[in-house]
Amino acid sequence: ERVLFPPTFSVSEIKNKQRRHFMFLRWKQQQRKVGRAAPPKAIPKTIENQRVYDETTVDPNDEEVAFDEATDEFAPYFNRQTVPKILITTSDRPRGRTVRFCEQLATVIPNSHVYYRRGLALKRIIPQCIARDFTDLIVINEDRKIPNGLVLSHLPDGPTAHFRMSSVRLRKEIKRKGKEPTEHVPEVILNNFTTRLGHSIGRMFAALFPHDPQFIGRQVATFHNQRDYIFFRFHRYIFKSEKKVGIQELGPRFTLKLRSLQKGTFDSKFGEYEWIHKRREMDTSRRKFHL
Amino acid sequence: GRCYLYMKTIERAAFPRRLWERVLLSKNYEKALEEIDENLIYWPRFIRHKCKQRFTKITQYLIRIRKLTLKRQRKLVPLRRKIERRENRREEKALIAAQLDNAIEKELLERLKQDTYGDIYNFPIHAFDKALQQQDAESESESDAEREEDDDDDEDVGKREFVEAEDSELSDFEDMDKLETSSEEEQEEEEEVEKKASHSKSKGKTPLKGPARRKRPYIEIEYEEETEPSTKTKAA
C-alpha cells in the first residue's frame, strides 16, 4: 500500500488536487504527532549574527578602555566640568533646505547657535570659537542645495569626525509629527556602538548634549548604529503604562556614515587621522563593520 | 605669470619656425603698455588698441588666480555611481533591520525599570503586579461564570414556558416617551461608557457584559410606526 517516495519529494509537487489535499492532511497529522519532539526552530542567520568578529569590540568591564575614557578629551565633559556649547555652521552659500535644517538642528540640540559662514576659513574660526568658550563645532556641508556632509569637531583640541549625511528629512516632511521640540534638555540614547571606534564616536555624540536631561520634557534623541550607518531620530515619549510606551517623532531625522576620524581639530592637510574609510580595504566583506 | 608680446609679419610667412617674434613685457602694467606701443608702432591703431585690451584682461585674470590660490580651494570629488547605489541600498536595508521604534521603546522601558526617572512616573510596580494577578483571577472566574451562563442558555433552549402577551407597543404620548427613553438610553450609555472607562483604568482586562451590568431600573419600550391605511373609495 505505502508508496515509497523519493526523499527529495514534497507534497506540493503532486498535480492532482484531491490527492494533494489528502497527502497534505496526512503530512499534517504526522507533523502533529511528531510535534513536541520535533527539532527546535532554527535561528535565522542575519547579517548581525554573522558579523565578522571585530577584535576592537569593547568589553563593558575592560579596564583599559575605562582608563582611556577617563583620560581622553571628553573626560571634562563626563566629569561635569564643562557645559556643551555648540556652533552650527554650513559651507559657503547655503541654500534653503540646508538653512532650514540648521535651524531645526539648533532647536533639537540645546545651547547651540547657528552662524553663517560667509567665506570664512575654518582654521580661523576655530581659535575664535575656543576663545568664546564653544565646546563643539558642527559644519554641515552642502551639495546642490541639499546637505550631504557633516563635520563634527570637539573644540578644545578634540577629535574631528567627518560624516556623510544622507536621507535628511525636515520636520514638515515627517508624517505624524508632533509639535515643535521644546527647550527642555532631551535624553540621549546611543545604540549599538560596540567597537572602540564606535565607542569614541558615541562619546562624541553624547558630549553634544548637556549632562542632565530634563525628564519633564519627555524628549529623547537617539543615535542608533546599524551596520555602520548611524540613524538619528528625535522623539517625544509618554509612558502609557508600565509595559507600554508611546513615541511620537518630532524634529529632523538623518543618517550618517563615518568617513574619517581625526585626532586634532579640523585640519585637512596636516591632521593626524585616526581612522579613514578606505573603500578597497574595508568594503571587501559584507559582514564586516567597523563601528 | 609673465606676459609676452607676439608679433608676426607677412614677410616671414614662408618660415613657420621664425614666424612669431616674441617680446617679454615688463611686470609693471603702465610700462608694459608703453612697450606694446613701442613695438607695434607702425601698426594700425585699431590693432594696437585691441592688443592692449587683451593684455589688460590677461593681467586681471592672472591677479585673480593669485588671489584665489591663497584662499580655500574647493576640491571636486566625483561621485561613483555604483558605490552610491550600493550605499543607498545598504542604508535602506540597515534601516529595516534596525527597527528603530522598537529599539527606542525597549530602551525607554529599560530605563524606567532601572529607575532612572525616579519618582516622576507612579506606576507602583508591586501594586500593579498585584492588581494584575487579581484581575487575572477575576477574569478567570468571570469566564467561568460566562461558561455557566452559556450552559444555562443551552439548557433553556428546549424548554416550554407560558408567557403573557406583551402590550407595550402602543402608547399615547409617543414623542415624550421617546424623548425620555432616548435620554434614558443616553444616560445609560454614558454610564456604561463611564463604567467601561473606569474599569479599563483600573483593571483594563475585565470583559464587560453589557445588559447584565445595568443597575438602574430600565424599561424597554418598542415603538411601531403606523402608516395610515390608504382610503379606498368605494364606488357608490
Side-chain angles (χ1 to χ4, degrees):
Chain A
E1 276 277 9
R2 272 288 156 87
V3 185
L4 281 176
F5 291 110
T8 57
F9 181 80
S10 83
V11 180
S12 51
E13 279 176 20
I14 305 177
K15 297 289 182 179
N16 186 333
K17 187 166 179 172
Q18 266 194 342
R19 221 180 290 164
R20 188 171 65 229
H21 184 63
F22 173 73
M23 294 300 288
F24 177 69
L25 289 176
R26 187 132 59 95
W27 180 80
K28 259 287 185 193
Q29 263 182 12
Q30 283 180 354
Q31 289 294 89
R32 240 178 275 154
K33 250 194 267 172
V34 181
R36 305 306 135 117
K41 229 182 177 185
I43 309 171
K45 292 190 207 173
T46 63
I47 293 186
E48 280 79 29
N49 285 349
Q50 310 293 96
R51 178 176 171 173
V52 165
Y53 176 70
D54 203 344
E55 58 205 8
T56 61
T57 318
V58 167
D59 189 28
N61 309 328
D62 203 350
E63 287 170 357
E64 190 190 328
V65 173
F67 178 70
D68 276 338
E69 288 181 5
T71 51
D72 76 349
E73 291 109 351
F74 297 106
Y77 167 75
F78 282 102
N79 294 338
R80 292 169 194 249
Q81 287 163 9
T82 51
V83 177
K85 191 174 172 200
I86 295 152
L87 180 70
I88 303 180
T89 180
T90 64
S91 55
D92 284 341
R93 295 195 171 257
R95 288 315 196 194
R97 246 183 103 91
T98 317
V99 168
R100 268 176 274 150
F101 177 67
C102 286
E103 285 171 32
Q104 289 178 11
L105 209 76
T107 58
V108 164
I109 305 178
N111 207 2
S112 60
H113 305 267
V114 183
Y115 283 106
Y116 288 122
R117 195 67 161 312
R118 282 146 136 266
L120 300 169
L122 270 182
K123 283 197 217 168
R124 290 207 202 122
I125 293 184
I126 287 174
Q128 286 184 17
C129 287
I130 301 178
R132 292 192 201 185
D133 238 5
F134 280 98
T135 52
D136 287 277
L137 175 69
I138 297 181
V139 183
I140 296 179
N141 195 40
E142 186 201 350
D143 175 53
R144 284 203 209 141
K145 304 175 196 172
I146 47 166
N148 74 344
L150 185 102
V151 176
L152 171 58
S153 164
H154 192 71
L155 273 186
D157 200 43
T160 309
H162 176 39
F163 297 95
R164 193 181 100 114
M165 186 152 63
S166 45
S167 91
V168 175
R169 303 277 174 263
L170 299 177
R171 287 203 70 235
K172 65 177 183 182
E173 291 158 17
I174 298 179
K175 300 181 186 172
R176 287 185 280 277
K177 66 171 187 302
K179 298 191 182 170
E180 285 206 7
T182 60
E183 290 289 325
H184 296 113
V185 173
E187 291 177 45
V188 180
I189 292 181
L190 298 164
N191 268 345
N192 261 346
F193 287 97
T194 45
T195 63
R196 283 294 294 270
L197 181 65
H199 229 63
S200 49
I201 302 275
R203 282 159 66 80
M204 268 183 94
F205 285 130
L208 289 177
F209 295 90
H211 227 285
D212 300 306
Q214 291 170 316
F215 298 122
I216 327 170
R218 284 191 281 126
Q219 291 174 131
V220 58
T222 308
F223 292 92
H224 182 103
N225 171 37
Q226 186 85 8
R227 304 181 193 175
D228 276 357
Y229 289 95
I230 302 172
F231 298 100
F232 170 80
R233 299 283 184 273
F234 194 72
H235 291 278
R236 182 173 281 145
Y237 63 87
I238 178 167
F239 283 106
K240 294 181 198 162
S241 75
E242 267 261 332
K243 314 264 172 169
K244 238 186 174 190
V245 62
I247 51 175
Q248 189 190 44
E249 181 157 8
L250 31 110
R253 65 154 88 151
F254 50 88
T255 64
L256 300 171
K257 186 161 197 267
L258 181 67
R259 271 214 277 210
S260 67
L261 181 64
Q262 253 182 22
K263 266 241 150 90
T265 54
F266 183 75
D267 197 335
S268 46
K269 285 189 216 163
F270 306 110
E272 179 195 337
Y273 280 90
E274 208 177 298
W275 188 84
I276 312 181
H277 178 79
K278 293 196 188 122
R279 187 172 56 91
R280 292 277 168 99
E281 298 172 13
M282 298 182 183
D283 269 353
T284 46
S285 160
R286 282 186 215 212
R287 311 275 179 266
K288 185 159 198 273
F289 306 112
H290 312 283
L291 269 190
Chain B
R2 301 299 305 270
C3 288
Y4 291 85
L5 175 65
Y6 282 78
M7 291 172 287
K8 71 174 173 177
T9 41
I10 34 169
E11 286 87 24
R12 297 201 298 265
F15 314 106
R17 200 148 56 96
R18 291 174 243 160
L19 182 56
W20 290 99
E21 198 184 309
R22 183 165 84 168
V23 175
L24 180 64
L25 299 171
S26 87
K27 262 195 172 173
N28 190 349
Y29 180 65
E30 282 105 28
K31 266 202 187 163
L33 288 180
E34 285 171 14
E35 281 171 18
I36 292 178
D37 264 333
E38 277 176 44
N39 280 307
L40 301 178
I41 190 166
Y42 296 116
W43 290 50
R45 195 181 36 170
F46 177 73
I47 296 185
R48 259 182 283 154
H49 183 69
K50 278 306 198 179
C51 181
K52 281 186 265 186
Q53 274 188 343
R54 247 179 292 140
F55 173 69
T56 320
K57 201 197 297 185
I58 292 174
T59 48
Q60 284 184 350
Y61 74 58
L62 284 177
I63 293 171
R64 218 150 161 245
I65 291 174
R66 277 178 234 137
K67 240 195 259 181
L68 283 179
T69 49
L70 291 176
K71 278 195 182 176
R72 300 167 298 137
Q73 286 192 318
R74 216 165 259 228
K75 189 176 170 190
L76 292 177
V77 175
L79 283 180
R80 310 266 177 90
R81 212 176 304 173
K82 183 173 170 190
I83 297 175
E84 290 292 308
R85 256 191 291 154
R86 189 174 9 142
E87 297 205 332
N88 289 339
R89 188 78 187 114
R90 287 201 182 157
E91 188 185 320
E92 286 170 17
K93 293 201 168 173
L95 184 65
I96 296 171
Q99 292 177 353
L100 283 166
D101 292 340
N102 289 351
I104 297 177
E105 285 173 11
K106 252 198 229 173
E107 180 69 30
L108 288 170
L109 286 171
E110 274 214 27
R111 288 191 184 180
L112 184 68
K113 263 194 209 168
Q114 283 167 3
D115 235 5
T116 43
Y117 299 131
D119 282 330
I120 307 178
Y121 301 103
N122 7 339
F123 301 123
I125 306 181
H126 303 293
F128 185 72
D129 280 341
K130 262 193 197 170
L132 255 185
Q133 285 173 14
Q134 255 187 25
Q135 176 226 92
D136 284 338
E138 274 189 39
S139 63
E140 282 180 18
S141 62
E142 281 180 21
S143 56
D144 288 335
E146 278 186 347
R147 270 181 249 141
E148 286 177 10
E149 284 189 18
D150 289 335
D151 294 336
D152 289 340
D153 285 335
D154 288 333
E155 284 178 14
D156 282 335
V157 165
K159 282 190 184 169
R160 292 183 186 207
E161 286 181 3
F162 296 99
V163 189
E164 61 184 317
E166 289 175 327
D167 288 331
S168 55
E169 281 122 32
L170 295 175
S171 60
D172 291 329
F173 307 99
E174 280 189 6
D175 295 339
M176 296 274 291
D177 287 333
K178 262 187 190 170
L179 279 176
E180 277 182 41
T181 49
S182 65
S183 65
E184 278 180 8
E185 283 178 12
E186 280 177 17
Q187 287 174 19
E188 289 297 331
E189 284 173 11
E190 280 174 7
E191 276 199 353
E192 275 192 6
V193 167
E194 283 172 17
K195 279 183 213 166
K196 281 183 189 174
S198 64
H199 280 289
S200 66
K201 269 185 204 162
S202 59
K203 291 164 191 178
K205 280 187 188 173
T206 53
L208 256 189
K209 293 172 290 193
R213 290 263 167 121
R214 287 185 194 159
K215 294 180 185 171
R216 267 183 68 188
Y218 177 78
I219 310 168
E220 262 192 24
I221 302 181
E222 287 181 10
Y223 288 96
E224 264 189 15
E225 289 192 349
E226 290 184 16
T227 56
E228 290 185 0
S230 53
T231 53
K232 300 179 183 175
T233 53
K234 291 187 180 173

